[in-house]
């Protein structure tokens, strides 16, 4: 059993990334004792939009440290940097030669991004799901823990794996997605009908894991809600309150039902205050650990060991794929 997932080091890591992805990695690391786990920093994916050299370098290292600070265990997980394994780019190209252009053009994330950005759209923004498919298929992953917004890309990965297998004989494991029960889609705190994202124009809508905790608590306190006063889950009519309940449930591990009961006679202000305090309890130890390891030898060593193991598996896969394609002397 293998598990693969990654996060882009484009900007600061958000509470959405933590609850939708990182927290699931930690959970699966504990639950699936037999599984081999590959978690990476998807630095090549960050190049789909302009990046400043120093900022990117810093974000790569920062994400590596944040993975460990959040609880990934060095001896349970192969932690590595995507660009250090050339087979990602190699298989990415093969996947570009497997996918059809309309399949890429249909991707919601691509459509959303080009709607916002009229000029300077790079080819890699379109071909990005092919590279993502390669990231997964290289390791013959069975399970891919991701948030809701990556579901469509995973579906495409499955299609490409099946297409390749049908044409060239059984080569790839067809992977399954793993989605959290709550927290799979954390919304913006200022516009709760939009996803919380790294590139939010209004910084009050997004909680960044490494921001000073008081700033984040204030963002919870000023989160947009509705003019009603009752606390219950209703995504359509009460997107703000539903989002806060989702965040609460994902942070605490209690169900939405339990929270509705607990807060049935409470005010919005009380819910927000409790949530702000819960956030502090979860995030503060992560930040403390982060600052301990960001410049440590441990971090470098972990990335070296991860790179070695990932490289071994990935180079085997790419050799097999080339052989099947007839790319041989
Ligand atoms: P990225 O970097 O945008 O996001 C990383 C992970 O965080 C999840 N996520 C969220 N979950 C809940 N609520 C949100 N508001 C939220 N925002 C982000 C994402 O679903 C994701 O799981 N293409 C991927 C990175 C990637 C990858 C892969 C993932 C590249 N190759 C192979 C898995 C397997 C991406 O851009 O995620």
């Amino acid at each position: 059993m293998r598990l693969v997932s990654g996060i882009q080091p484009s900007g600061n890591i958000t509470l959405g990334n933590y609850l939708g992805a990182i927290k699931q990695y930690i959970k699966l690391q504990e639950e699936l004792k037999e599984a081999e786990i590959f978690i990476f920093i998807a630095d090549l994916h960050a190049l789909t939009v302009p990046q400043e050299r120093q900022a990117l370098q810093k974000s790569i290292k920062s994400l590596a440290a944040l993975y460990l600070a959040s609880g990934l265990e060095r001896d349970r997980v192969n932690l590595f940097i995507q660009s250090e394994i050339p087979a990602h780019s190699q298989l990415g190209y093969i996947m570009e030669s497997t996918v059809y252009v309309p399949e890429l053009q249909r991707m919601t994330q691509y459509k959303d991004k080009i709607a916002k950005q009229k000029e300077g759209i790079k080819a890699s923004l379109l071909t990005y799901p092919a590279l993502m498919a390669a990231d997964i298929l290289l390791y013959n992953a069975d399970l891919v823990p991701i948030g809701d917004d990556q579901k469509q890309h995973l579906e495409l990965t499955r299609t490409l794996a099946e297409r390749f297998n049908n044409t060239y004989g059984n080569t790839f494991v067809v992977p399954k997605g793993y989605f959290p029960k709550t927290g799979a889609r954390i919304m913006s705190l200022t516009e709760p009908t939009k996803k919380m994202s790294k590139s939010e124009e209004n910084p009050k809508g997004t909680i960044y894991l490494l921001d000073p905790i008081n700033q984040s608590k204030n963002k919870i306190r000023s989160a947009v809600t509705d003019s009603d006063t009752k606390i219950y889950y209703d995504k359509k009519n009460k997107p703000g309150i539903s989002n806060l309940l989702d965040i609460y449930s994902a942070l605490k591990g209690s169900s939405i039902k339990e929270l509705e009961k607990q807060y049935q006679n409470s005010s919005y202000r009380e819910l927000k205050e409790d949530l702000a305090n819960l956030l502090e309890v979860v995030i503060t130890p992560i930040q403390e650990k982060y600052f301990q390891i960001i410049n440590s030898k441990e971090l470098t060593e972990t990335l070296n060991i991860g790179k070695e193991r990932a490289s071994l598996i990935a180079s085997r896969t790419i050799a097999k794929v080339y052989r099947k394609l007839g790319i041989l002397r």
Side-chain angles (χ1 to χ4, degrees), residues 4-8 16-17 20-21 40 42 45 128 132 135-136 144 146-150 183-186 195-196 198:
V4 171
S5 197
I7 298 180
Q8 289 194 40
N17 298 136
F40 65 97
H45 282 278
Y128 151 120
M132 177 160 164
D135 298 336
I136 297 167
V144 184
I146 40 179
D148 256 8
D149 63 336
Q150 296 299 325
R185 193 175 183 80
I186 302 297
K195 188 183 76 174
M196 179 183 284
K198 294 181 196 126

Side-chain angles (χ1 to χ4, degrees), residues 25-73:
Y25 309 162
I26 316 289
K27 176 169 174 262
L28 292 170
Q29 151 188 284
E30 275 148 31
E31 284 176 9
L32 304 176
K33 292 268 184 264
E34 303 299 311
E36 188 177 15
I37 304 176
F38 294 87
I39 301 291
F40 65 97
I41 294 139
D43 55 349
L44 294 175
H45 282 278
L47 301 180
T48 51
V49 292
Q51 296 290 343
E52 206 269 305
R53 180 182 181 276
Q54 273 173 348
L56 180 58
Q57 187 179 4
K58 196 163 164 246
S59 301
I60 292 170
K61 189 172 163 195
S62 170
L63 176 53
L66 200 53
Y67 278 139
L68 293 180
S70 304
L72 283 185
E73 282 168 32

